[in-house]
Amino acid sequence: KNPDKMKSKKTAPKRTQHIPKKKQKQLKELQELVKKSRTILLTSIKDIPASQFQEIVKSLRKEAVVKVPKKRMTLKALDLVDEKVREDLKKLIGENMAILFSNEDSFQLAGELIRRKTRSKAKAGQIAPKDIEIEAGPTDLVPGPAITELGNFGIKIQIEKGKITIKEPKVIVKQGQKISRDASELMSKLDIKPFLVGFTPLGAYDSKENKIYLEINIDKDKALAELKQAFGKSLAFAVSRGYATKE
């Protein structure tokens, strides 16, 4: 072996990774937000148009700071979180994700995100979130190509006062199916918006309680309806058993 080469290998200086100042600044800002925020809420922003994303961020300005950092930077910033919940929180991190930093309660903030979702038209290739039905009733469509388009889906129609009326409801895309271009164009003409678009809560960390909440995507109206139903059943059961309570 060549001793000169061996010597050069031993004395060669170690390479150090240079981190750009811009990234250092971004990481420091994230770390400060992690330190001072009560709630760190991870959300999915998949399929949200840029204009709508900006509107949501603007509407949340008084309640939260919204960041969309790279995955590696997010992981580094979350190293400051208590290690008992850190790993569960890191499991939620993926692509198309935003982080909200806030002093609001986790569930209150998540509820606001769900409440602010808006309806959106379907695009070809998207998966139907539920059965998409064309309801019976009058439309603003005039006779012409629309008759053929509706007929292609087996939709029964009639003409009333120069406009197309749909005689019977018809499911044109079933839940879980991919939406075709023809179906998306027909829904657009009928102003059918089957998708709810907005931030989808994935999970949150509450630094005050030192807890992580994974089941945080809650529909308030649905939860209230289920609670009322449960109360109604318990009341009937209590009466049938002769079990008296103050309620």
Side-chain angles (χ1 to χ4, degrees), residues 1-145:
K1 293 182 180 180
N2 189 329
D4 293 332
K5 283 188 177 182
M6 292 178 67
K7 187 177 181 182
S8 63
K9 284 183 179 180
K10 289 180 180 180
T11 57
K14 292 183 179 180
R15 290 185 178 181
T16 56
Q17 188 178 4
H18 176 68
I19 302 174
K21 288 185 178 181
K22 184 179 178 181
K23 287 189 176 181
Q24 291 180 25
K25 185 179 178 181
Q26 289 173 344
L27 177 59
K28 187 177 179 180
E29 185 181 2
L30 279 178
Q31 289 173 331
E32 288 300 316
L33 286 168
V34 168
K35 287 178 184 177
K36 72 179 185 180
S37 301
R38 173 184 174 177
T39 294
I40 301 171
L41 180 64
L42 305 182
T43 68
S44 170
I45 55 173
K46 188 178 180 181
D47 295 328
I48 302 178
S51 58
Q52 196 162 350
F53 173 83
Q54 294 300 332
E55 285 180 15
I56 296 171
V57 172
K58 188 176 179 181
S59 70
L60 290 168
R61 198 165 286 170
K62 292 182 180 179
E63 294 144 298
V65 175
V66 181
K67 295 291 182 182
V68 188
K70 296 287 185 181
K71 184 176 180 179
R72 183 178 291 183
M73 192 173 293
T74 302
L75 292 170
K76 280 184 174 292
L78 291 179
D79 282 339
L80 298 176
V81 173
D82 188 283
E83 62 179 336
K84 291 180 182 178
V85 294
R86 185 191 306 154
E87 293 309 312
D88 285 333
L89 198 61
K90 285 184 175 182
K91 288 176 185 176
L92 300 175
I93 298 169
E95 302 299 323
N96 302 310
M97 194 197 72
I99 308 177
L100 277 67
F101 299 93
S102 175
N103 287 319
E104 299 283 342
D105 173 79
S106 300
F107 285 89
Q108 185 176 338
L109 184 58
E112 278 300 306
L113 294 180
I114 295 167
R115 186 180 66 81
R116 295 182 193 193
K117 285 191 173 187
T118 57
R119 287 284 169 188
S120 175
K121 291 182 178 180
K123 296 178 182 178
Q126 287 184 301
I127 303 300
K130 59 181 181 180
D131 287 355
I132 300 175
E133 183 180 74
I134 305 295
E135 296 181 356
T139 73
D140 290 327
L141 300 178
V142 296

Side-chain angles (χ1 to χ4, degrees), residues 20 47 50 68 71 90 98 129 149 154-155 183-184 206 218 228 244:
D47 295 328
V68 188
K71 184 176 180 179
K90 285 184 175 182
E149 292 171 7
I155 299 171
S184 68
D206 187 323
I218 297 172
K228 288 179 178 179

Side-chain angles (χ1 to χ4, degrees), residues 47 120-128 132 153 173 177-188 192 194-195:
D47 295 328
S120 175
K121 291 182 178 180
K123 296 178 182 178
Q126 287 184 301
I127 303 300
I132 300 175
F153 289 96
V173 186
Q177 287 185 340
K178 189 178 289 188
I179 297 170
S180 67
R181 183 176 298 278
D182 289 344
S184 68
E185 289 176 356
L186 180 59
M187 283 186 271
S188 181
I192 295 172
F195 289 92

